[in-house]
């Protein structure tokens, strides 16, 4: 009996140890992913005051947004309405939403020059919460990420600057429009914003 208990305890300890190793690997993988992305952005930004060609802006936009899961963000932003609309409307909504977020990410390119410090990376059941501090011109700004593991790749499902989460913020805006004027009015508004 004692041997059986010892064996079970040993297997339990091995399981815990394996989980800790996987968590550490995931934390390091996320840190490496975000650090490499940050380095790529800074390299493309070049010296301060630089003017950017359309090609450079497109490259920056792709790197900044390349690890964002826009479908997941769109689901959060549209809340229950996402499951109530047609597949065609969902596809158009995701396309419009991603266009607006991608364009918005290019409004203030200088913020990507900030020095980033990782405060914590918490990984649990294929999800992660990454807390960082970005410092630019002696101004410190909390920048956090919600991430999920899709296949073998970590992707961002929401991000916050100064504790204001992007998808959650859009959700509040969209729900007010839907409640007052309906989903079609929201789509009309998004089409106009995406076309600007």
């Amino acid at each position: 009996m004692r041997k059986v208990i010892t064996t079970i305890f040993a297997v339990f300890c091995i399981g815990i140890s394996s989980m800790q190793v996987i968590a550490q690997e995931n934390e390091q993988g996320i840190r490496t992913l975000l650090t490499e992305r940050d380095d790529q952005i800074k390299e493309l930004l070049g010296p301060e005051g630089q003017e950017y060609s359309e090609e450079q802006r497109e490259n920056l936009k792709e790197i900044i947004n390349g690890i964002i899961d826009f479908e997941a963000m769109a689901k959060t932003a549209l809340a229950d309405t996402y499951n109530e609309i047609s597949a065609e409307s969902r596809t158009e909504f995701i396309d419009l939403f991603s266009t607006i977020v991608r364009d918005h990410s290019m409004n203030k390119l200088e913020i990507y020059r900030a020095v980033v410090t990782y405060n914590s990376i918490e990984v649990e059941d294929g999800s992660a919460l990454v807390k960082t501090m970005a410092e630019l011109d002696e101004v410190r700004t909390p920048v956090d990420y919600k991430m999920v593991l899709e296949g073998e790749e970590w992707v961002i499902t929401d991000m916050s600057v100064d504790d204001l989460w992007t998808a959650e913020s859009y959700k509040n805006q969209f729900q007010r429009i839907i409640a007052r004027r309906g989903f079609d009015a929201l789509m009309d508004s998004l089409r106009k914003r995406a076309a600007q």
Side-chain angles (χ1 to χ4, degrees):
M1 183 66 181
R2 184 174 180 180
K3 185 177 180 180
V4 172
I5 293 173
T6 302
T7 302
I8 292 172
F9 181 72
V11 170
F12 177 75
C13 289
I14 291 171
I16 294 292
S17 177
S18 297
M19 289 169 61
Q20 289 173 336
V21 170
I22 291 171
Q24 288 171 356
E25 288 175 351
N26 280 326
E27 289 173 17
Q28 187 56 47
I30 290 169
R31 183 189 295 265
T32 300
L33 175 70
L34 294 176
T35 301
E36 288 179 351
R37 170 181 178 256
D38 188 48
D39 290 344
Q40 284 181 303
I41 293 169
K42 285 184 169 68
E43 184 177 345
L44 275 173
L45 283 175
E48 290 186 40
Q50 180 176 326
E51 295 291 328
Y52 301 104
S53 66
E54 192 59 35
E55 182 181 357
Q56 287 173 311
R57 292 182 65 83
E58 283 302 314
N59 287 339
L60 280 166
K61 189 186 292 187
E62 185 55 38
I63 293 173
I64 291 168
N65 297 282
I67 61 171
I68 296 175
D69 183 340
F70 284 107
E71 182 175 353
M73 283 189 72
K75 283 181 182 177
T76 300
L78 206 50
D80 291 343
T81 305
Y82 188 88
N83 295 320
E84 297 167 0
I85 59 178
S86 67
E88 184 178 318
S89 294
R90 281 182 207 155
T91 300
E92 184 183 7
F93 176 79
I94 294 169
D95 183 53
L96 293 171
F97 180 73
S98 63
T99 298
I100 291 167
V101 173
R102 285 164 60 89
D103 289 347
H104 184 72
S105 71
M106 301 296 288
N107 286 351
K108 295 179 181 177
L109 286 175
E110 291 304 307
I111 63 173
Y112 297 106
R113 296 184 187 280
V115 176
V116 178
T117 303
Y118 290 84
N119 294 333
S120 66
I121 301 175
E122 298 173 8
V123 180
E124 185 174 356
D125 297 332
S127 298
L129 177 62
V130 182
K131 291 182 174 289
T132 77
M133 185 65 71
E135 183 169 354
L136 180 67
D137 297 333
E138 299 184 355
V139 176
R140 291 161 55 85
T141 306
V143 179
D144 302 334
Y145 303 93
K146 291 178 182 175
M147 303 182 74
V148 298
L149 185 61
E150 290 187 355
E152 297 182 353
E153 303 287 336
W154 284 97
V155 295
I156 295 170
T157 57
D158 202 357
M159 66 207 101
S160 80
V161 178
D162 257 343
D163 298 321
L164 183 63
W165 289 94
T166 302
E168 290 292 336
S169 177
Y170 277 112
K171 176 182 171 181
N172 294 335
Q173 293 178 38
F174 293 168
Q175 292 307 306
R176 282 197 297 272
I177 294 173
I178 292 171
R180 292 174 185 169
R181 298 161 50 205
F183 177 71
D184 289 341
L186 170 65
M187 291 296 279
D188 286 342
S189 173
L190 295 181
R191 290 185 191 106
K192 291 174 184 173
R193 288 172 65 177
Q196 290 176 353

